[in-house]
Amino acid sequence: MNFPRASFFSPAKELFFPHRPSLSSAPFRASLLVLLALAFFIAIFWTINEYKTYRQHISNIEENYQELYRKRVQEELVNVLESIDNQRALAMLHVEDELRVKVQSAYTIASHIYQRHKDNMSIAELRSMVVEILRPIRWNNGRGYYFTGRLKENTIDLFADDPLLEGQDPEQVEEKTYGTIYQELRHILQEKGAGIYRYQDIHDDMTGQHFPGMSFVKYFKPFDWYIGAGTSQEIMKTRLQEEILSGLQSRHFSENGHILCFRADGTILSHPVSVLVGRSITSLVSYQGEEYGKKMLHTGLYSDSGGSLIYSTVDGFSGRKQQRLFSVKPYSDWDWILVADISMAAMEKAIHDEKEAYTARTFKNVAISLVFLAVAVLFLLSIALYHSIKIKRGINLFTDFFRKAAHTQLKIRSADSSFAEFEDLGELANAMVDDITQKEHLLRRDELRLDTLLQLGTMEEWTIIDKYYFVLNRIIQITDSERGYIALVNQARSHCSLCSQINVRNRTTGLNRGQEGAPHLLVDSGLAGSCVLQKKPFIFNAFEDVRKYPSYPYKEEVQRRIDIPVNDSNSVVLVAGVCNSTREYDNSDIRQMTMLLEGMWLHVQKTCSEKEMAKLERQVIAISENERSRIGRDLHDDLGSHLSGVEVLSKVLQQKMEKQSPELAQQLSSIRNLIRDAIEKTHRLSRGLYPVHIIEHGLEAAIEELVAEIKERYSLACRLSFDGRVEPLGSDIAPHIYYIVREAIFNAAKHGKPNMIQITIQRNGNFLSAAIVDDGQGMTEQKTRKGLGLHTMRYRAKAIGATLEIQPNEIGGTTVSLSGEISP
């Protein structure tokens, strides 16, 4: 099949070789340039980014592995230090137990000899016998020994470690150390009768050195003796150090980790290579000449918290180079420095493997990405070419469409168009300008209506008439009118009364003389009355139609007008209208006016309901107060007096029965107690219901009675802080404050289970504040919301123009606060 050549090549020819710059060809040309530049920059950016990512990844691997090894060696050092401390503690406990056993053995020997020979021998002879028995007994390689002495006579009878002291007064010995030790031992015996004593200086005759020692003493009353056993801790320390160093020598962790130990002077005490024990740590040097031994010593001497370092060495078994990490920690009690050393060969192998895998993966991803990028560029160029041709055809179609749809005068000159397509689109743009103007006008009307409704919610201090005028003024602005009115309709729908009227042209606001509050028959009210009677709006844009009806309520000539009724529960409540707009009215004006007027009516209803509710609340509180007062007076004057009379009669009867029947008199006494309890409860109820004591004695005295009642009924502490400036208050305010405080403290006592209730009442000018704070379990507003007490408290606070808040305390309990401007 043969096709005309023009049909195929014309679009392409016009696309690539246009007579003038064409909008349809611009996407292809721009896409070609952008894609080529993008491909070039993406390739460079991808390569650089991948390389940086690769280096960062390797660095992260090294840091993570080093951190893991560092934590491992530090953890091992902590375990070693804990092990040393545990062994020391166990050794110390062992020595203490051994000394206790030795002293108990000596105590048993002395007690046995005393019981057996006390009738045949004197105390001095018995002491001498026990001394000779204990003298040769030694332990701990001869370092453990016994010593005895008399407390009252201050005489040493036995000191196996230094016999020259025997027979002397410990406080008179030339070596002052023994006198100090004796005073401490004497204090232990007087306080406890037995105990362990550690001293820091004991002389060793064999070595000439001074070592710390430990003793256990116990009082033996028959001889007035203290019997003690002592030993040198240095022997225990030396033996314990040898055991610990032996364990460290063979201790290993992880794959190739071991523990080193050397003294502060650098002498190696423990090393996995035994030939290095006894040498200086400073002699350890890596194959690169790095003196890592000196680094270990320097870190251990000058860093209390220790530190970690990495050095290179040669594996003694494989001969391969490797990195090792060591962590240093000083052990100052024994002047030791401990080192945990671990090989990092596994880390190096993992890093090497990860580098090779990541390198291969990265280059593979780069190659694949470049291939995909090239394919994407070719694909996007093909799409750009295809869409460029479609844009050309689509523009022609839309140009023809807009030529038929728009019939306005051109506002864009052809000479101002940069592309050929803009010559036709300019016509459409001019038509759209007018449409946009109209839409913006509608949008401004909606915004003005919404703003009017929002501002109504903030006009709490405005009167309803002022709100009518405000809304009517906005309706005139929205409809571009000259005049307007709002009229209320009576319930019988027979009359309407103007409540607001505005004339923008004359700049007058308000009703004319004779219209203020005067009802007007609906049947004589023209379109306004027809709207109410027929319950529908009316629009008249022709002067001939307007002339058929009375112009009410307008006095001047009306060219066009619109009148709208507002319904509430299927009954018309008001009617409003505007006239003489600069344009013709339409349904959008009806919709705007209806929504605005209905919103205004709902706002007015809400405002009236709130005022009515506040009035009803005040009436309820007033009725409640009157009823409480009546009941309180009845309890006090009627029931209280009646019970008092009964109590007096029962007293007289009791006095008569005491002579005739004491048993009945006793029963009558119990009845009198019950009557007196009833009288007290009646008085208490009357005081709670009838506030006469508040008026007569003042608020402070009434609250003090509450404090006393709380202390008596609930056995808890209650304090009152009362500002003297609070008095006097009016009789219509003080009872409310009293009952709020009463409800708060009784709620706290009943439900909060506190230990203390604090009541604070202050006044600063006309500002009064009251706070009831307890330290109980807490009674928040949510827990008490269902009760009647909180509602009553809020009503009372509102009645006197104050605010009530209930909040939990930070440390427990609840705070009830009352505050507000109170007139005296």
Side-chain angles (χ1 to χ4, degrees), residues 339-351:
V339 179
D341 190 3
I342 190 171
S343 172
M344 302 175 69
M347 180 197 74
E348 294 175 351
K349 183 178 183 303
I351 292 175

Side-chain angles (χ1 to χ4, degrees), residues 604-643:
V604 170
Q605 284 186 315
K606 177 177 178 293
T607 303
C608 295
S609 298
E610 290 176 351
K611 292 181 179 179
E612 185 66 21
M613 181 61 71
K615 179 180 179 182
L616 292 175
E617 287 179 356
R618 290 192 294 270
Q619 292 177 354
V620 168
I621 293 175
I623 293 171
S624 175
E625 290 299 321
N626 294 333
E627 189 64 20
R628 290 170 64 98
S629 299
R630 185 187 64 79
I631 296 173
R633 286 193 299 271
D634 290 344
L635 287 174
H636 183 271
D637 299 338
D638 190 3
L639 182 59
S641 300
H642 182 73
L643 290 174

Side-chain angles (χ1 to χ4, degrees), residues 8-22 24-26 28-29 32 381 384-386 388-389:
F8 181 80
F9 291 101
S10 293
K13 183 178 179 181
E14 292 179 5
L15 183 63
F16 293 103
F17 306 98
H19 298 289
R20 297 177 62 185
S22 175
S24 59
S25 63
F28 178 81
R29 295 196 306 271
L32 179 60
L381 286 176
L385 176 61
Y386 172 76
S388 294
I389 297 174

Side-chain angles (χ1 to χ4, degrees), residues 56-73:
Q56 183 65 34
H57 186 68
I58 296 302
S59 176
N60 291 339
I61 292 175
E62 293 178 351
E63 291 177 1
N64 292 336
Y65 269 94
Q66 289 179 8
E67 183 64 21
L68 290 175
Y69 278 100
R70 188 175 291 107
K71 290 182 178 179
R72 182 67 184 90
V73 295

Side-chain angles (χ1 to χ4, degrees), residues 527-642:
L527 286 177
S530 299
C531 287
V532 176
L533 296 175
Q534 299 182 31
K535 295 184 179 180
K536 68 177 183 179
F538 287 95
I539 296 178
F540 288 103
N541 289 311
F543 178 69
E544 293 77 11
D545 296 332
V546 174
R547 292 177 59 185
K548 298 177 182 178
Y549 296 89
S551 61
Y552 178 86
Y554 307 114
K555 298 297 183 181
E556 297 83 359
E557 186 181 71
V558 177
Q559 299 295 330
R560 57 175 64 94
R561 65 183 292 177
I562 181 171
D563 296 87
I564 298 174
V566 176
N567 298 314
D568 184 12
S569 299
N570 201 27
S571 178
V572 179
V573 293
L574 63 85
V575 61
V578 292
C579 68
N580 294 349
S581 174
T582 56
R583 57 177 176 79
E584 291 187 351
Y585 294 114
D586 54 22
N587 289 328
S588 65
D589 295 315
I590 294 179
R591 185 170 59 255
Q592 293 284 349
M593 291 179 62
T594 302
M595 289 189 292
L596 191 52
L597 291 169
E598 288 178 349
M600 180 198 70
W601 182 251
L602 291 175
H603 173 75
V604 170
Q605 284 186 315
K606 177 177 178 293
T607 303
C608 295
S609 298
E610 290 176 351
K611 292 181 179 179
E612 185 66 21
M613 181 61 71
K615 179 180 179 182
L616 292 175
E617 287 179 356
R618 290 192 294 270
Q619 292 177 354
V620 168
I621 293 175
I623 293 171
S624 175
E625 290 299 321
N626 294 333
E627 189 64 20
R628 290 170 64 98
S629 299
R630 185 187 64 79
I631 296 173
R633 286 193 299 271
D634 290 344
L635 287 174
H636 183 271
D637 299 338
D638 190 3
L639 182 59
S641 300
H642 182 73

Side-chain angles (χ1 to χ4, degrees), residues 175-273:
E175 180 61 41
K176 296 182 180 180
T177 304
Y178 290 101
T180 303
I181 294 174
Y182 175 76
Q183 293 296 330
E184 294 294 334
L185 292 176
R186 186 182 186 93
H187 178 72
I188 292 173
L189 292 172
Q190 291 174 350
E191 289 291 327
K192 304 177 182 179
I196 286 287
Y197 176 69
R198 297 180 180 84
Y199 43 93
Q200 298 300 319
D201 192 25
I202 184 169
H203 187 269
D204 190 290
D205 294 331
M206 299 177 63
T207 63
Q209 297 179 348
H210 292 263
F211 302 107
M214 180 189 298
S215 298
F216 181 83
V217 294
K218 187 173 182 180
Y219 181 68
F220 185 68
K221 186 175 181 180
F223 290 175
D224 188 33
W225 254 15
Y226 57 88
I227 302 175
T231 185
S232 171
Q233 295 186 35
E234 189 63 20
I235 301 300
M236 175 193 68
K237 173 183 175 182
T238 302
R239 186 170 67 247
L240 180 61
Q241 287 179 347
E242 291 175 354
E243 295 176 359
I244 292 174
L245 290 174
S246 176
L248 295 179
Q249 186 78 16
S250 58
R251 183 163 184 158
H252 297 278
F253 63 94
S254 295
E255 181 180 352
N256 190 12
H258 49 258
I259 303 296
L260 285 70
C261 179
F262 55 92
R263 285 197 294 265
D265 60 0
T267 303
I268 298 175
L269 300 177
S270 173
H271 196 281
V273 181

